[in-house]
Coordinates of all heavy atoms in Angstrom, one line a residue:
L43 N 29.9 -21.6 24.8 CA 30.9 -21.4 23.8 C 32.3 -21.3 24.4 O 33.2 -21.9 23.8 CB 30.5 -20.1 23.0 CG 31.5 -19.7 21.9 CD1 31.6 -20.7 20.8 CD2 31.1 -18.3 21.3
N44 N 32.4 -20.6 25.4 CA 33.7 -20.4 26.1 C 34.2 -21.8 26.7 O 35.4 -22.1 26.6 CB 33.7 -19.4 27.2 CG 33.7 -18.0 26.7 OD1 34.8 -17.5 26.3 ND2 32.6 -17.3 26.7
A45 N 33.3 -22.5 27.2 CA 33.6 -23.8 27.7 C 34.1 -24.8 26.6 O 35.0 -25.5 26.8 CB 32.4 -24.4 28.5
L46 N 33.4 -24.7 25.5 CA 33.7 -25.6 24.4 C 35.1 -25.2 23.8 O 35.9 -26.1 23.5 CB 32.7 -25.4 23.2 CG 32.9 -26.2 22.0 CD1 32.9 -27.7 22.2 CD2 31.9 -25.8 20.9
I47 N 35.4 -23.9 23.7 CA 36.7 -23.5 23.2 C 37.8 -24.0 24.2 O 38.8 -24.6 23.8 CB 36.8 -22.0 23.1 CG1 35.8 -21.5 22.0 CG2 38.2 -21.5 22.7 CD1 35.7 -20.0 21.8
F48 N 37.6 -23.8 25.5 CA 38.6 -24.2 26.5 C 38.8 -25.7 26.5 O 39.9 -26.2 26.6 CB 38.2 -23.6 27.8 CG 39.3 -24.0 28.9 CD1 40.5 -23.3 29.0 CD2 39.0 -25.0 29.8 CE1 41.4 -23.6 29.9 CE2 40.0 -25.4 30.7 CZ 41.2 -24.7 30.8
I49 N 37.7 -26.4 26.5 CA 37.7 -27.9 26.5 C 38.5 -28.4 25.3 O 39.2 -29.4 25.4 CB 36.3 -28.5 26.6 CG1 35.8 -28.2 28.0 CG2 36.4 -30.0 26.4 CD1 34.3 -28.6 28.2
S50 N 38.3 -27.8 24.1 CA 39.0 -28.2 22.9 C 40.5 -28.0 23.1 O 41.2 -28.9 22.7 CB 38.4 -27.4 21.7 OG 37.1 -27.6 21.5
L51 N 40.9 -26.9 23.6 CA 42.3 -26.6 23.8 C 42.9 -27.6 24.8 O 44.0 -28.1 24.6 CB 42.5 -25.2 24.3 CG 42.3 -24.1 23.3 CD1 42.4 -22.7 23.9 CD2 43.2 -24.2 22.1
A52 N 42.1 -27.8 25.9 CA 42.6 -28.8 27.0 C 42.7 -30.2 26.4 O 43.6 -30.9 26.8 CB 41.7 -28.7 28.2
S53 N 41.8 -30.6 25.6 CA 41.8 -32.0 25.0 C 43.0 -32.1 24.1 O 43.6 -33.2 24.1 CB 40.5 -32.2 24.3 OG 39.4 -32.1 25.2
L54 N 43.2 -31.1 23.2 CA 44.4 -31.2 22.3 C 45.7 -31.2 23.1 O 46.6 -31.9 22.7 CB 44.3 -30.0 21.4 CG 43.2 -30.1 20.3 CD1 43.1 -28.8 19.5 CD2 43.6 -31.2 19.3
C55 N 45.7 -30.5 24.2 CA 46.9 -30.4 25.0 C 47.1 -31.8 25.7 O 48.2 -32.3 25.7 CB 46.7 -29.3 26.1 SG 48.1 -29.2 27.3
L56 N 46.0 -32.4 26.2 CA 46.2 -33.7 26.8 C 46.6 -34.8 25.8 O 47.4 -35.6 26.1 CB 44.8 -34.1 27.5 CG 44.8 -35.4 28.3 CD1 45.8 -35.3 29.5 CD2 43.4 -35.7 28.8
F57 N 46.0 -34.7 24.6 CA 46.4 -35.7 23.6 C 47.8 -35.5 23.2 O 48.6 -36.5 23.0 CB 45.5 -35.5 22.3 CG 45.8 -36.4 21.2 CD1 45.5 -37.8 21.3 CD2 46.4 -35.9 20.0 CE1 45.8 -38.6 20.2 CE2 46.7 -36.8 19.0 CZ 46.4 -38.1 19.1
S58 N 48.3 -34.3 23.1 CA 49.7 -34.0 22.7 C 50.6 -34.5 23.8 O 51.7 -35.0 23.6 CB 49.9 -32.5 22.5 OG 49.1 -32.0 21.5
F59 N 50.2 -34.4 25.1 CA 50.9 -34.8 26.2 C 51.1 -36.4 26.2 O 52.2 -36.9 26.3 CB 50.3 -34.4 27.5 CG 51.0 -34.8 28.7 CD1 52.2 -34.3 29.1 CD2 50.5 -35.9 29.6 CE1 52.9 -34.7 30.2 CE2 51.2 -36.3 30.7 CZ 52.4 -35.7 31.0
F60 N 50.0 -37.1 26.0 CA 50.1 -38.5 25.8 C 51.0 -38.9 24.7 O 51.7 -39.9 24.8 CB 48.7 -39.1 25.6 CG 47.9 -39.4 26.9 CD1 47.2 -38.5 27.6 CD2 48.1 -40.7 27.5 CE1 46.5 -38.7 28.8 CE2 47.4 -41.0 28.7 CZ 46.6 -40.0 29.3
S61 N 50.9 -38.2 23.6 CA 51.7 -38.6 22.4 C 53.2 -38.3 22.7 O 54.0 -39.2 22.3 CB 51.3 -37.7 21.2 OG 49.9 -37.9 20.9
S62 N 53.5 -37.3 23.4 CA 54.9 -37.0 23.7 C 55.5 -38.0 24.6 O 56.6 -38.4 24.5 CB 55.0 -35.6 24.4 OG 54.5 -34.6 23.5
V63 N 54.6 -38.5 25.5 CA 55.1 -39.5 26.5 C 55.3 -40.9 25.8 O 56.3 -41.6 26.0 CB 54.2 -39.6 27.7 CG1 54.6 -40.8 28.6 CG2 54.1 -38.3 28.5
L64 N 54.3 -41.3 25.0 CA 54.2 -42.6 24.5 C 55.0 -42.9 23.2 O 55.5 -44.0 23.0 CB 52.8 -43.0 24.3 CG 51.9 -43.1 25.5 CD1 50.4 -43.4 25.1 CD2 52.4 -44.2 26.4
I65 N 55.2 -41.8 22.4 CA 55.9 -42.0 21.1 C 57.4 -42.0 21.4 O 58.0 -41.2 22.1 CB 55.6 -40.9 20.2 CG1 54.1 -40.9 19.8 CG2 56.5 -41.0 18.9 CD1 53.7 -39.8 18.9
D66 N 58.1 -43.1 20.9 CA 59.5 -43.2 21.0 C 60.2 -42.0 20.2 O 59.8 -41.8 19.1 CB 60.0 -44.5 20.5 CG 59.8 -45.6 21.5 OD1 59.9 -45.3 22.7 OD2 59.5 -46.8 21.1
P67 N 61.2 -41.4 20.8 CA 61.8 -40.3 20.1 C 62.6 -40.7 18.8 O 62.8 -39.9 17.9 CB 62.7 -39.7 21.1 CG 63.0 -40.8 22.0 CD 61.8 -41.6 22.1
G68 N 62.9 -42.0 18.8 CA 63.7 -42.5 17.7 C 65.1 -42.9 18.1 O 65.9 -42.0 18.5
Y69 N 65.4 -44.1 18.1 CA 66.7 -44.6 18.5 C 67.5 -45.1 17.3 O 67.0 -45.5 16.3 CB 66.6 -45.7 19.5 CG 65.9 -45.3 20.8 CD1 64.6 -45.8 21.1 CD2 66.5 -44.4 21.7 CE1 64.0 -45.3 22.3 CE2 65.9 -44.0 22.8 CZ 64.6 -44.5 23.1 OH 64.0 -44.0 24.3
V70 N 68.8 -45.0 17.4 CA 69.7 -45.3 16.3 C 69.7 -46.9 16.2 O 70.0 -47.6 17.2 CB 71.2 -44.8 16.6 CG1 72.1 -45.3 15.5 CG2 71.2 -43.3 16.8
P71 N 69.5 -47.4 15.0 CA 69.5 -48.9 14.8 C 70.9 -49.4 15.2 O 71.9 -48.8 14.9 CB 69.2 -49.1 13.4 CG 68.5 -47.8 13.0 CD 69.1 -46.7 13.8
A72 N 70.9 -50.6 15.8 CA 72.2 -51.2 16.1 C 73.0 -51.5 14.9 O 74.2 -51.6 15.0 CB 71.9 -52.5 16.9
S73 N 72.4 -51.7 13.8 CA 73.1 -52.1 12.5 C 73.5 -50.9 11.7 O 74.0 -51.0 10.6 CB 72.1 -53.0 11.7 OG 70.9 -52.3 11.3
Y74 N 73.3 -49.7 12.3 CA 73.6 -48.5 11.5 C 75.1 -48.3 11.2 O 75.9 -48.5 12.2 CB 73.1 -47.2 12.2 CG 73.6 -46.0 11.5 CD1 73.0 -45.5 10.4 CD2 74.6 -45.2 12.1 CE1 73.4 -44.3 9.7 CE2 75.1 -44.0 11.5 CZ 74.5 -43.6 10.3 OH 74.9 -42.5 9.7
V75 N 75.5 -48.1 10.0 CA 76.9 -47.8 9.6 C 76.8 -46.6 8.7 O 76.0 -46.5 7.8 CB 77.5 -49.0 8.9 CG1 78.9 -48.6 8.4 CG2 77.6 -50.2 9.8
P76 N 77.6 -45.5 8.9 CA 77.5 -44.3 8.1 C 77.9 -44.7 6.6 O 78.7 -45.5 6.3 CB 78.6 -43.4 8.7 CG 79.5 -44.3 9.5 CD 78.6 -45.4 10.0
D77 N 77.3 -43.9 5.7 CA 77.5 -44.0 4.3 C 79.0 -43.7 4.0 O 79.6 -42.8 4.6 CB 76.6 -43.1 3.5 CG 76.3 -43.6 2.1 OD1 76.7 -44.8 1.9 OD2 75.6 -42.9 1.4
I78 N 79.5 -44.4 3.0 CA 80.9 -44.1 2.7 C 81.1 -42.7 2.2 O 82.1 -42.1 2.5 CB 81.4 -45.1 1.6 CG1 81.4 -46.6 2.2 CG2 82.8 -44.8 1.2 CD1 81.7 -47.6 1.2
E79 N 80.2 -42.2 1.4 CA 80.3 -40.8 0.9 C 80.3 -39.8 2.0 O 80.9 -38.8 1.9 CB 79.2 -40.6 -0.1 CG 79.3 -41.4 -1.4 CD 78.2 -41.1 -2.4 OE1 77.3 -40.2 -2.0 OE2 78.1 -41.7 -3.4
D80 N 79.5 -40.1 3.0 CA 79.4 -39.2 4.2 C 80.7 -39.1 4.9 O 81.1 -38.1 5.6 CB 78.3 -39.6 5.1 CG 76.9 -39.3 4.5 OD1 76.9 -38.6 3.5 OD2 76.0 -40.0 4.9
S81 N 81.4 -40.2 4.9 CA 82.7 -40.3 5.6 C 83.9 -39.6 4.9 O 85.0 -39.6 5.5 CB 83.0 -41.8 5.9 OG 82.0 -42.4 6.6
E82 N 83.6 -39.2 3.7 CA 84.7 -38.5 3.0 C 85.1 -37.2 3.5 O 86.2 -36.7 3.4 CB 84.3 -38.4 1.5 CG 84.2 -39.7 0.8 CD 83.8 -39.5 -0.7 OE1 83.5 -38.3 -1.1 OE2 83.8 -40.5 -1.4
A83 N 84.1 -36.5 4.2 CA 84.4 -35.2 4.8 C 85.5 -35.4 5.9 O 85.5 -36.3 6.7 CB 83.1 -34.6 5.4
S84 N 86.4 -34.4 5.9 CA 87.5 -34.5 6.9 C 87.0 -34.1 8.3 O 85.9 -33.4 8.4 CB 88.6 -33.6 6.5 OG 88.1 -32.2 6.4
D85 N 87.7 -34.4 9.3 CA 87.4 -34.0 10.7 C 87.3 -32.5 10.8 O 86.5 -31.9 11.5 CB 88.4 -34.6 11.7 CG 88.3 -36.1 11.8 OD1 87.2 -36.6 11.4 OD2 89.2 -36.7 12.2
Q86 N 88.2 -31.8 10.0 CA 88.3 -30.4 10.1 C 87.0 -29.8 9.6 O 86.4 -28.8 10.1 CB 89.5 -29.9 9.3 CG 89.6 -28.3 9.4 CD 90.9 -27.9 8.7 OE1 91.6 -28.7 8.1 NE2 91.1 -26.6 8.7
E87 N 86.5 -30.3 8.5 CA 85.2 -29.8 7.9 C 84.0 -30.1 8.8 O 83.1 -29.3 8.9 CB 85.0 -30.5 6.5 CG 83.8 -29.9 5.8 CD 83.6 -30.6 4.4 OE1 84.4 -31.4 4.0 OE2 82.6 -30.2 3.7
L88 N 84.0 -31.3 9.4 CA 82.9 -31.6 10.3 C 82.9 -30.6 11.5 O 81.8 -30.1 11.9 CB 83.1 -33.0 10.8 CG 82.9 -34.1 9.8 CD1 83.2 -35.5 10.5 CD2 81.5 -34.1 9.3
K89 N 84.0 -30.3 12.1 CA 84.1 -29.3 13.2 C 83.6 -28.0 12.7 O 83.0 -27.2 13.4 CB 85.5 -29.3 13.8 CG 85.8 -30.6 14.5 CD 87.2 -30.5 15.1 CE 87.6 -31.8 15.8 NZ 89.0 -31.7 16.4
K90 N 84.0 -27.6 11.5 CA 83.7 -26.3 11.0 C 82.2 -26.1 10.8 O 81.6 -25.1 11.1 CB 84.4 -26.1 9.6 CG 84.0 -24.8 8.9 CD 84.6 -24.7 7.5 CE 84.1 -23.5 6.8 NZ 84.7 -23.4 5.4
N91 N 81.5 -27.2 10.4 CA 80.1 -27.2 10.2 C 79.3 -27.5 11.4 O 78.0 -27.5 11.4 CB 79.7 -28.2 9.1 CG 80.1 -27.8 7.7 OD1 80.3 -26.6 7.4 ND2 80.4 -28.7 6.8
G92 N 80.0 -27.8 12.5 CA 79.2 -28.0 13.8 C 78.6 -29.4 13.9 O 77.7 -29.6 14.7
I93 N 79.1 -30.3 13.1 CA 78.6 -31.7 13.1 C 79.4 -32.5 14.1 O 80.6 -32.5 14.0 CB 78.6 -32.3 11.7 CG1 77.7 -31.5 10.8 CG2 78.0 -33.7 11.8 CD1 77.7 -32.0 9.3
S94 N 78.7 -33.1 15.0 CA 79.5 -33.9 16.0 C 80.1 -35.2 15.5 O 79.8 -35.6 14.4 CB 78.5 -34.2 17.2 OG 77.4 -34.9 16.8
S95 N 80.9 -35.8 16.3 CA 81.5 -37.0 15.9 C 80.5 -38.1 15.6 O 79.4 -38.2 16.2 CB 82.4 -37.5 17.1 OG 83.0 -38.8 16.8
R96 N 80.9 -39.0 14.6 CA 80.0 -40.0 14.1 C 80.0 -41.3 15.0 O 79.3 -42.2 14.6 CB 80.3 -40.3 12.7 CG 80.1 -39.2 11.7 CD 78.7 -38.7 11.6 NE 78.5 -37.6 10.7 CZ 78.3 -37.8 9.4 NH1 78.3 -39.0 8.9 NH2 78.2 -36.8 8.6
R97 N 80.8 -41.3 16.0 CA 80.8 -42.5 16.8 C 80.6 -42.1 18.3 O 81.1 -41.2 18.8 CB 82.2 -43.2 16.7 CG 82.3 -44.6 17.3 CD 83.5 -45.3 17.0 NE 83.5 -46.6 17.5 CZ 83.0 -47.7 16.9 NH1 82.4 -47.6 15.8 NH2 83.0 -48.9 17.5
C98 N 79.7 -42.9 18.9 CA 79.3 -42.7 20.3 C 80.3 -43.5 21.2 O 80.3 -44.8 21.1 CB 77.9 -43.1 20.6 SG 77.4 -42.9 22.3
D99 N 81.0 -42.9 22.1 CA 81.9 -43.6 23.0 C 81.2 -44.4 24.0 O 81.7 -45.4 24.5 CB 82.8 -42.5 23.7 CG 83.7 -41.8 22.7 OD1 84.0 -42.3 21.7 OD2 84.0 -40.6 23.0
K100 N 80.0 -44.0 24.4 CA 79.2 -44.7 25.4 C 78.6 -46.0 24.8 O 78.5 -47.0 25.5 CB 78.2 -43.8 26.1 CG 78.8 -42.6 26.8 CD 77.8 -41.7 27.4 CE 78.4 -40.5 28.1 NZ 79.1 -39.6 27.2
C101 N 78.0 -45.9 23.6 CA 77.3 -47.0 23.0 C 78.3 -47.9 22.2 O 78.0 -49.0 21.9 CB 76.2 -46.5 22.1 SG 74.8 -45.7 23.0
S102 N 79.5 -47.3 21.9 CA 80.5 -48.0 21.1 C 79.9 -48.4 19.7 O 80.2 -49.4 19.2 CB 81.0 -49.2 21.8 OG 81.6 -48.9 23.0
T103 N 79.1 -47.5 19.2 CA 78.5 -47.7 17.9 C 78.5 -46.4 17.1 O 78.7 -45.3 17.7 CB 77.0 -48.2 17.9 OG1 76.3 -47.2 18.7 CG2 76.9 -49.6 18.6
Y104 N 78.3 -46.5 15.8 CA 78.2 -45.3 15.0 C 76.9 -44.6 15.2 O 75.9 -45.2 15.6 CB 78.3 -45.6 13.5 CG 79.7 -46.1 13.1 CD1 80.0 -47.4 12.9 CD2 80.7 -45.2 12.9 CE1 81.2 -47.9 12.5 CE2 82.0 -45.6 12.5 CZ 82.2 -46.9 12.3 OH 83.5 -47.4 11.9
K105 N 76.9 -43.3 15.0 CA 75.6 -42.6 15.2 C 75.5 -41.6 14.0 O 76.5 -41.0 13.5 CB 75.5 -41.8 16.5 CG 76.6 -40.8 16.7 CD 76.5 -40.1 18.1 CE 77.6 -39.0 18.3 NZ 77.4 -38.4 19.6
P106 N 74.2 -41.4 13.5 CA 74.0 -40.6 12.3 C 74.1 -39.1 12.7 O 74.2 -38.8 13.9 CB 72.6 -40.9 11.9 CG 72.0 -41.4 13.1 CD 73.0 -42.1 13.9
P107 N 74.1 -38.2 11.7 CA 74.1 -36.8 12.0 C 72.9 -36.4 12.9 O 71.9 -36.9 12.8 CB 74.1 -36.1 10.6 CG 74.6 -37.2 9.7 CD 74.2 -38.5 10.3
R108 N 73.2 -35.5 13.8 CA 72.1 -34.9 14.7 C 71.7 -35.8 15.8 O 70.8 -35.4 16.6 CB 70.9 -34.4 13.9 CG 71.3 -33.6 12.6 CD 70.1 -33.0 12.0 NE 69.7 -31.8 12.7 CZ 68.7 -31.0 12.3 NH1 68.0 -31.3 11.2 NH2 68.3 -29.9 13.0
A109 N 72.2 -37.0 15.9 CA 71.9 -37.9 17.0 C 72.9 -37.7 18.1 O 74.0 -37.3 17.9 CB 72.1 -39.4 16.5

Side-chain angles (χ1 to χ4, degrees):
L43 178 61
N44 281 286
L46 178 62
I47 294 174
F48 180 77
I49 290 173
S50 298
L51 291 173
S53 299
L54 287 168
C55 179
L56 186 62
F57 178 71
S58 300
F59 180 72
F60 271 89
S61 300
S62 300
V63 174
L64 294 175
I65 296 176
D66 283 325
Y69 297 111
V70 179
S73 59
Y74 172 77
V75 177
D77 209 6
I78 296 177
E79 294 182 358
D80 291 339
S81 301
E82 291 179 355
S84 63
D85 292 338
Q86 184 178 1
E87 184 179 359
L88 290 174
K89 290 180 181 179
K90 176 183 174 182
N91 290 333
I93 301 176
S94 59
S95 174
R96 295 297 180 86
R97 190 170 183 85
C98 178
D99 296 331
K100 299 179 179 64
C101 295
S102 299
T103 56
Y104 290 103
K105 60 181 180 180
R108 313 189 79 177

